[in-house]
Amino acid sequence: MADLEIIGVPVSNYVRSIRMLCEEKGVPYTLNPAFPHTPAVAAISPAGQIPCMRHGDVAVFESKGIATYIDKAFAGPKFIPEDAVGAAICEQWVAYGNVKVDRWIMRELVVRLVFADKEKGPDMAKIDAAVPEIAKIAKALDDALGRSTYLAGDSLTFADMNVLPMIDYGLMFPQSKAVLEGHANLMAYHARLTARPSFQNTAPPPRA
Ligand SMILES: N[C@@H](CCC(=O)N[C@@H](CS)C(=O)NCC(=O)O)C(=O)O
């Protein structure tokens, strides 16, 4: 069978989530470190977003679509539950991760700080506005992790791999770190999951 190709730069939280899934399942893959909106990406994603995936004739965009394909097409442990409740709860946390955690931690805070205008600096009003939203997210995740070991119950699912890189990025910046650190369940979860080989082996290269 053809090689599995994951397309996208390793610094992307969503690319890392897909790479973590491959690592956890033991699925070999080739990483094509393409930036958003480059030809390899635009050929698959109408939005020009990463990650994308190719496997023989199959091309998929959107990380959850890619994760579903990999989980079903390859042997190894399952990380998207098949039972009705497990599947729904996993999907629920993936959606919450994408709509809330990615939006407020990644787009409204991390990306604004990292890609700030060199002369004007980051838009601090927008960063400040993100902080109370991140506080709500931290509480929601912390509450869920007080009820179960992982977001979708007592086994690791793709929902955890989806949010972990986002939380890890949030802990790198003082504005979000201060909020996240106040949540003991979330911090214990971050420590446990970032120790896994799937996280360690997918670290992006240091910024030049
Ligand atoms: N819903 C998409 C989001 C992917 C996404 O936001 N990727 C970012 C990099 S982490 C990207 O490609 N940004 C460029 C853009 O949105 O134009 C998914 O789950 O794959």
Side-chain angles (χ1 to χ4, degrees), residues 12-14 36-37 47-51 62-64 98 102 107:
S12 153
N13 55 297
Y14 283 116
H37 309 289
Q49 290 184 317
I50 55 171
E62 282 291 331
S63 55
K64 178 53 174 51
N98 295 345
D102 181 71
R107 308 303 136 194

Side-chain angles (χ1 to χ4, degrees), residues 18-181:
I18 295 300
R19 296 179 68 206
M20 287 180 67
L21 177 64
C22 292
E23 295 270 338
E24 291 284 352
K25 282 186 81 75
V27 174
Y29 65 93
T30 305
L31 181 69
N32 172 355
F35 282 92
H37 309 289
T38 54
V41 175
I44 300 175
S45 164
Q49 290 184 317
I50 55 171
C52 294
M53 180 217 91
R54 266 191 205 283
H55 185 224
D57 293 341
V58 181
V60 184
F61 64 93
E62 282 291 331
S63 55
K64 178 53 174 51
I66 297 168
T68 298
Y69 178 80
I70 293 171
D71 205 46
K72 285 188 184 289
F74 292 90
K78 293 278 176 204
F79 293 101
I80 299 181
E82 306 244 329
D83 66 291
V85 175
I89 302 300
C90 176
E91 191 80 32
Q92 160 195 290
W93 284 113
V94 172
Y96 183 83
N98 295 345
V99 171
K100 293 291 183 187
V101 190
D102 181 71
R103 175 176 175 197
W104 290 105
I105 295 184
M106 294 306 303
R107 308 303 136 194
E108 297 292 338
L109 192 141
V110 172
V111 170
R112 285 187 189 285
L113 288 168
V114 173
F115 297 105
D117 184 288
K118 292 254 179 328
E119 277 164 23
K120 289 194 221 147
D123 183 337
M124 290 315 292
K126 292 230 164 97
I127 308 271
D128 290 347
V131 170
E133 297 298 330
I134 295 172
K136 287 185 216 163
I137 288 163
K139 181 173 184 332
L141 295 174
D142 195 72
D143 287 351
L145 294 166
R147 295 188 293 268
S148 56
T149 314
Y150 299 96
L151 286 175
D154 287 324
S155 49
L156 181 73
T157 70
F158 181 68
D160 303 297
M161 299 172 213
N162 191 53
V163 298
L164 188 68
M166 303 172 190
I167 299 299
D168 193 64
Y169 271 121
L171 285 166
M172 292 178 196
F173 296 87
Q175 296 88 343
S176 37
K177 183 173 192 248
V179 175
L180 295 167
E181 270 186 342

